[in-house]
Amino acid sequence: MARALGVSALALLVCGYGVGEASCACANTSSAAALDLLLGEYDRAAPPAPLVRVRLALDVRHAAVDDAHAAMRLLADFHMSWQDSRITWNASEWGCEWALTSVERLWRPDVALVNAAAARAPVEPLRARVTSAGAVSWVDRLDVAIPISMDLGDWPRDIQTGVFKFASREHTADEIDITIDLDDVQYATVFESGAWEIVTLGGAALASQATEAGARRVATWSLALRRRAPALAAGVHVAAAAALLLLLAAAIMPPDVRVPVAAAAAFTLAIWLEGAVWQVGGGSCPRAVHLLGALCGVSGAGAAAAALVARVARLAAPPPARLRPLLLAASRLAVLSPPPEVSLGSEGECGTWVAAARLLDAALLAVLALALLVILCLYL
Ligand SMILES: *[C@@H]1O[C@H](CO)[C@@H](O)[C@H](O)[C@H]1NC(C)=O
Ligand SMILES: *[C@@H]1O[C@H](CO)[C@@H](O)[C@H](O)[C@H]1NC(C)=O
């Protein structure tokens, strides 16, 4: 009597959390041996019934978009449960309700992702849970990537959608019927730390697909992800606002000052665009776009250089004492190649500035030509 009480107390301790129901695991060596015996006579190649109903649930753990490959990667727990009446036992005889066993020992439905391949080699499968009533449930650890058509209209706050389709690989709807278990989906395990956040996981739907062998049931989940790039979004606004301000400022300035300000706006945007192209396309952005972006930057720099030269040439004030020797040397150099039009005073301080401007012009043009050469060598 005391021993029986002790056993029940132990059983209560082991099965303590299943209040009201006997949800006790087969941890007992004798029940494990009994399960081994049961599975020893089991034919894992044969399905448990002519028509097996499989319930599916998807529990997303992580999802992200690979910009460079236009693919959506999903790490998820794919829950499958079905009934196998060959694995049943008398719970009161065995003293336990359920057991964990290697899924390799059981028949399992060949339901898998059909619109893509696994991203990585499959890991050691988790064990299946079987109950005394013959209910089998198993979780497949998915690591898959599907191709998506990228829609970058709202970049950098764009939303990308991927559709994951699951179906039996070889069996028709008459042999394996699938249903989606909407109650069983848990969102709590999604950890958001990457560059993408899940907007919706849903649109879980069932459809029939005709194949050569017959109609096949297909379960689909659609997953929408939004890019999380607050710095990029802020960058877009800052760049656009800066360019707008510069253009407004240029509009109210006299024509000769308008050129450099407008050039500065163009240059700012060209630099920003070139940076953005790297962000969007990863390494896969067409080289032609990089080439055009770089040429755009050089054009802006050229306009700014011309404006600077014009500004220096128009200086009327005498040069500061410290700059004078330098400017004199510059004007002597510039005189070696006399300007075709000597409209501005050829003598005195103004002439010095003009000569300096000519020299500056030549130097800047040389730098720009060098930049062009480098760009052409890089991209052609
Ligand atoms: C299970 O075993 C107990 C005790 O051996 C027995 O009383 C009961 O009828 C059995 N249940 C079934 C469904 O066979
Ligand atoms: C172990 O299983 C046997 C039957 O297989 C049962 O008689 C025994 O009480 C179980 N022991 C425990 C501790 O549950």
Side-chain angles (χ1 to χ4, degrees), residues 28-73:
N28 194 331
T29 43
S30 55
S31 57
L35 185 64
D36 272 346
L37 201 66
L38 184 66
L39 291 177
E41 300 164 354
Y42 176 91
D43 178 13
R44 57 178 290 259
L51 170 62
V52 186
R53 294 181 198 282
V54 183
R55 290 190 307 151
L56 307 177
L58 190 71
D59 183 3
V60 175
R61 286 187 288 128
H62 176 77
V65 173
D66 181 353
D67 280 294
H69 298 102
M72 185 178 284
R73 183 163 174 211

Side-chain angles (χ1 to χ4, degrees), residues 3 7 10-11 14 24-25 27-32 34 92-96:
R3 192 171 169 275
V7 167
L10 187 72
V14 174
C24 187
N28 194 331
T29 43
S30 55
S31 57
S92 51
E93 259 176 30
W94 286 28
C96 59

Side-chain angles (χ1 to χ4, degrees), residues 109-261:
D110 59 347
V111 176
L113 187 74
V114 286
N115 63 332
R120 206 178 281 165
V123 288
E124 178 83 4
L126 293 177
R127 290 194 293 169
R129 185 184 194 271
V130 293
T131 71
S132 61
V136 186
S137 52
W138 179 57
V139 177
D140 191 3
R141 288 268 164 94
L142 289 183
D143 181 354
V144 291
I146 58 161
I148 57 170
S149 55
M150 300 279 284
D151 175 9
L152 290 173
D154 292 331
W155 186 89
R157 294 282 295 160
D158 50 321
I159 293 177
Q160 306 298 338
T161 310
V163 176
F164 296 85
K165 293 185 179 176
F166 295 87
S168 167
R169 287 201 183 278
E170 283 173 9
H171 297 278
T172 61
D174 302 333
E175 293 158 343
I176 290 186
D177 192 18
I178 54 184
T179 54
I180 296 175
D181 202 347
L182 287 175
D183 304 333
D184 206 25
V185 188
Q186 299 145 26
Y187 298 98
T189 49
V190 177
F191 297 106
E192 289 304 347
S193 57
W196 294 86
E197 68 183 340
I198 295 178
V199 188
T200 53
L201 162 67
L206 277 173
S208 277
Q209 190 187 58
T211 62
E212 294 140 29
R216 202 168 57 151
R217 298 285 269 172
V218 182
T220 55
W221 275 269
S222 61
L223 185 61
L225 301 181
R226 183 191 287 123
R227 192 188 301 269
R228 289 210 305 185
L232 269 180
V236 172
H237 293 143
V238 168
L244 262 179
L245 271 180
L246 282 171
L247 287 178
L248 278 180
I252 56 172
M253 280 176 180
D256 53 339
V257 194
R258 203 174 294 158
V259 179
V261 179

Side-chain angles (χ1 to χ4, degrees), residues 268-293:
T268 310
L269 284 187
I271 295 290
W272 195 89
L273 274 178
E274 179 64 7
V277 158
W278 279 103
Q279 295 276 347
V280 176
S284 72
C285 185
R287 279 196 312 176
V289 175
H290 284 302
L291 173 66
L292 297 186

